[in-house]
Amino acid sequence: SKATHYSAQYQKISNQITFRAEIFYKKYEDLIKTYAVNSQQIANGNNGYGDAKGFELFWRDKKTIKNVDYWISYSYLDTKRDYLNYPYAIQPSFAAKHTASLIVKKFVTKWKTGFNGAYNFATGRPYYFIANNIQTGKTEFTDMGKTIDYHNVSFSLNFLPQLGKQGAKMFAVYVLSVSNIFNFDQVYGY
């Protein structure tokens, strides 16, 4: 298999702000394909192909809100592959078209405690019914739709009791973390 990647990136880092933008194109050649020959045998070859194109944005800011560090990221991905038992080039079931996250952190020195929150999002991923019919030699294919969108809100605290103590050689860190606070249904695939 062969992958060729082309990307262009712009990044600006100042004292407390980071901005990064990237565009990309990826070409895949000689991907493995599988075919059912009969009930006992599977043949394969390297005539699969595909591509991926998209962009990513990242913004981190420690300046605008006093004593708060936050960052936002967003990715757009348009990808199709004809590999494994796919009948033609389609969006792989592991690829989400849109993903985004927001992370917020605040450390309170007086309390020796960090407060962290995150929101993660991804659009639903496609899923398919693909079966090789051994009798006819044809592939049966049905686009079954997409999973529901992924949402996750999480929160964590980290407490550093030795912070600021003279002679402290090691730091104990206590962490409390809760994921999926709002109990969203999460579907990763079918």
Side-chain angles (χ1 to χ4, degrees), residues 6-189:
Y6 303 94
S7 66
Q9 184 182 93
Y10 172 80
Q11 181 169 287
K12 180 170 173 95
I13 300 175
S14 66
N15 187 21
Q16 295 187 327
I17 293 178
T18 301
F19 172 72
R20 184 171 54 247
E22 180 177 338
I23 58 172
F24 59 86
Y25 175 75
K26 301 173 183 181
K27 183 177 179 181
Y28 304 103
E29 300 173 89
D30 303 325
L31 298 178
I32 293 177
K33 290 285 293 176
T34 57
Y35 310 92
V37 176
N38 57 45
S39 62
Q40 311 263 310
Q41 192 176 27
I42 294 178
N44 61 26
N46 282 72
N47 58 338
Y49 62 92
D51 70 359
K53 51 192 168 286
F55 65 90
E56 297 180 346
L57 300 171
F58 176 83
W59 172 264
R60 185 172 186 177
D61 183 351
K62 298 178 186 179
K63 179 180 177 181
T64 304
I65 305 170
K66 187 177 180 182
N67 297 323
V68 172
D69 179 11
Y70 75 92
W71 58 92
I72 301 167
S73 63
Y74 170 77
S75 294
Y76 171 76
L77 174 64
D78 181 14
T79 183
K80 290 187 176 167
R81 296 184 192 187
D82 182 8
Y83 81 130
L84 299 178
N85 64 342
Y86 286 19
Y88 50 85
I90 55 177
Q91 180 181 344
S93 58
F94 59 79
K97 197 165 279 266
H98 304 275
T99 57
S101 65
L102 168 65
I103 312 295
V104 179
K105 300 175 101 179
K106 179 171 178 63
F107 191 82
V108 180
T109 308
K110 182 178 176 181
W111 296 345
K112 304 176 184 182
T113 305
F115 299 87
N116 313 291
Y119 171 65
N120 296 295
F121 167 80
T123 53
R125 297 174 177 166
Y127 60 100
Y128 312 104
F129 171 78
I130 303 173
N132 294 316
N133 188 322
I134 297 164
Q135 308 303 328
T136 64
K138 294 184 180 180
T139 299
E140 296 176 25
F141 171 78
T142 306
D143 183 341
M144 303 295 288
K146 293 190 181 302
T147 62
I148 59 174
D149 291 344
Y150 172 85
H151 300 273
N152 183 27
V153 177
S154 59
F155 178 76
S156 67
L157 293 170
N158 46 309
F159 176 61
L160 292 86
Q162 282 91 10
L163 185 68
K165 288 187 178 176
Q166 288 227 254
K169 294 181 181 179
M170 294 185 64
F171 282 100
V173 178
Y174 299 96
V175 177
L176 170 69
S177 180
V178 179
S179 186
N180 197 15
I181 292 171
F182 298 113
N183 198 28
F184 292 114
D185 286 335
Q186 308 294 12
V187 177
Y188 301 101

